[in-house]
Amino acid sequence: MRNKKVALITGITGQDGAYLAKLLLEKGYEVYGIFRRVSSPNFWRLQALGIESKVNLIPADITDFSSILEAIKFTSPDEVYHLAAQSFVGASFESPIATAQITGVSTLNLLEAIRQVDPTIKFYFAATSELYGNTKYDGKINEETPFNPASPYAVAKLYGYWITKVYRESYKTFAVNGILFNHESELRGLEFVTRKISNGVARIYLGLSNELRLGNLEARRDWGYAPEYVEAMWMMLQQDKPEDFVIATGESHSVREFVEEAFSYVGLDWTKYVKIDKRFFRPLDVNELVGDYSKAKQKLGWEPKTTFRELVRKMVDADIERWRKWLKGERIPFDAPYYDENSLNIITRGLRV
């Protein structure tokens, strides 16, 4: 009998993967993480949290069943957290087939590998509030609200959601869906609109830029703090029986409010710097998403702690600090703010909110 629980995380190099790895290490887990082998490994978040040397990194292809099967056999995990995805809504319109394979079918690969290797392994799937799209509902969205996906990304995630339920009900797999609403942090990627705003504000505040180009300012989202949300993921797998949970703050804020708060925090008038650019509008957008986390509060004992204002300020502070280090000639991580939007193809279209 081994002394430590073992966890396998797909998408460990992403925001949630890094925070989750840190949390599990603090709880005494042995942590393995699947990452995609690329020419320039993207480990900056693990480095920023000081845990790169503490996790076991495995190169694997989540769209290849044999690769996933081997990873499950090699790690023999107690828990699998499936966070990896092509997760950018705008990009999913440009690459719908790849999105379906990476975001949707990969979930089946993991569930089937677990069924074949060890059916007692617990499985977490990172579902999303994007499943609901522009569904008609009264009040806040909960676990019973009908889905109405509005992008190839959301449709792919919906496949993952349902195949997770099918394996839970057909094979008695301990498999859960975490329906997480938007959650941001200092480790958010530059391709997300919240980080683009905090990074742009930092550049303008320090005199390194004079404008910030954005798309739809009226889209409204339920924004929480990522480190709190990964704790909810872990809590779901510690329950006696597998259930799905909405994780949210219960508050809705617009992109415009995020902009106003970020600029106001550093004493600037946002209207003097923000330019609307049609390139950043999506073919089909979701107008508003706000979640009801009452089930999570009742059954998991989970609730959000960080306010919207605190979240925005944390992100702005982090980007100002990064830029100040850069100005001093200090080395900063790969996803550093000096990678300007004009030099990164990845953030020229389809920013996610």
Side-chain angles (χ1 to χ4, degrees):
M1 183 176 180
R2 57 194 181 193
N3 297 324
K4 291 185 174 184
K5 273 190 173 182
V6 175
L8 175 64
I9 303 170
T10 72
I12 194 169
T13 61
Q15 170 190 259
D16 291 4
Y19 280 124
L20 178 61
K22 183 175 184 291
L23 175 73
L24 295 178
L25 288 169
E26 291 170 349
K27 293 184 177 296
Y29 281 66
E30 183 176 359
V31 178
Y32 289 85
I34 287 176
F35 73 97
R36 183 166 55 93
R37 191 188 294 277
V38 292
S39 57
S40 299
N42 187 23
F43 301 144
W44 73 273
R45 294 181 178 89
L46 301 176
Q47 294 166 356
L49 295 177
I51 61 172
E52 184 185 15
S53 63
K54 299 176 183 178
V55 298
N56 306 288
L57 296 169
I58 305 171
D61 180 358
I62 60 173
T63 66
D64 177 16
F65 177 71
S66 62
S67 180
I68 290 301
L69 187 66
E70 185 61 28
I72 296 292
K73 289 179 178 178
F74 177 75
T75 59
S76 298
D78 297 288
E79 300 169 1
V80 171
Y81 296 85
H82 183 31
L83 313 184
Q86 190 303 98
S87 59
F88 310 124
V89 176
S92 75
F93 284 98
E94 299 172 12
S95 304
I97 296 174
T99 299
Q101 295 171 336
I102 296 168
T103 304
V105 177
S106 65
T107 311
L108 175 59
N109 288 338
L110 283 155
L111 285 163
E112 181 59 17
I114 288 170
R115 188 183 74 83
Q116 291 187 22
V117 175
D118 181 0
T120 68
I121 295 171
K122 294 183 176 182
F123 177 77
Y124 171 88
F125 174 62
T128 170
S129 58
E130 292 287 333
L131 296 177
Y132 299 105
N134 285 313
T135 189
K136 303 298 182 184
Y137 65 96
D138 295 321
K140 299 172 184 178
I141 292 170
N142 61 30
E143 292 81 3
E144 305 303 319
T145 304
F147 298 130
N148 186 25
S151 68
Y153 164 73
V155 171
K157 280 289 189 180
L158 188 58
Y159 175 83
Y161 172 92
W162 281 115
I163 200 65
T164 296
K165 289 197 70 171
V166 166
Y167 268 69
R168 180 169 73 212
E169 295 169 3
S170 301
Y171 302 116
K172 308 307 176 185
T173 305
F174 194 110
V176 304
N177 289 295
I179 309 172
L180 274 57
F181 281 62
N182 293 66
H183 45 289
E184 317 299 313
S185 76
E186 302 92 324
L187 299 185
R188 193 46 125 176
L190 284 167
E191 66 275 10
F192 287 81
V193 71
T194 52
R195 174 75 193 288
K196 184 180 183 185
I197 293 168
S198 65
N199 180 56
V201 168
R203 284 167 53 86
I204 292 169
Y205 174 70
L206 294 173
L208 298 169
S209 180
N210 57 15
E211 71 172 28
L212 174 60
R213 291 185 172 271
L214 297 170
N216 181 13
L217 298 185
E218 307 313 318
R220 301 183 65 88
R221 294 293 183 271
D222 184 329
W223 277 302
Y225 190 42
E228 297 167 9
Y229 282 47
V230 300
E231 186 173 15
M233 298 177 187
W234 174 78
M235 288 178 169
M236 291 179 208
L237 294 193
Q238 312 315 307
Q239 304 306 300
D240 293 332
K241 65 175 184 177
E243 294 185 66
D244 304 330
F245 291 90
V246 163
I247 303 298
T249 71
E251 295 182 6
S252 173
H253 296 276
S254 67
V255 175
R256 183 186 299 272
E257 288 176 73
F258 201 107
V259 169
E260 290 173 345
E261 180 60 40
F263 275 94
S264 174
Y265 180 46
V266 296
L268 296 174
D269 180 358
W270 71 273
T271 62
K272 295 180 180 179
Y273 304 98
V274 174
K275 309 294 182 185
I276 303 302
D277 191 328
K278 292 183 178 179
R279 292 181 301 160
F280 298 117
F281 283 79
R282 297 176 187 164
L284 180 63
D285 207 351
V286 177
N287 298 323
E288 181 175 18
L289 290 169
V290 57
D292 174 4
Y293 64 90
S294 57
K295 180 182 176 182
K297 182 178 181 179
Q298 177 188 357
K299 294 193 173 184
L300 302 179
W302 181 93
E303 57 184 323
K305 301 178 180 67
T306 303
T307 67
F308 173 73
R309 173 175 289 185
E310 290 170 341
L311 169 64
V312 175
R313 294 183 174 193
K314 281 176 183 285
M315 294 182 69
V316 171
D317 281 338
D319 274 318
I320 288 175
E321 181 60 21
R322 289 185 181 106
W323 271 108
R324 281 178 170 156
K325 287 183 177 179
W326 179 79
L327 289 169
K328 293 177 182 177
E330 296 182 30
R331 182 180 180 275
I332 50 180
F334 174 76
D335 191 5
Y338 57 78
Y339 285 90
D340 184 79
E341 65 209 50
N342 296 320
S343 64
L344 276 181
N345 291 334
I346 194 170
I347 61 172
T348 58
R349 291 198 296 264
L351 283 164
R352 184 181 177 191
V353 294

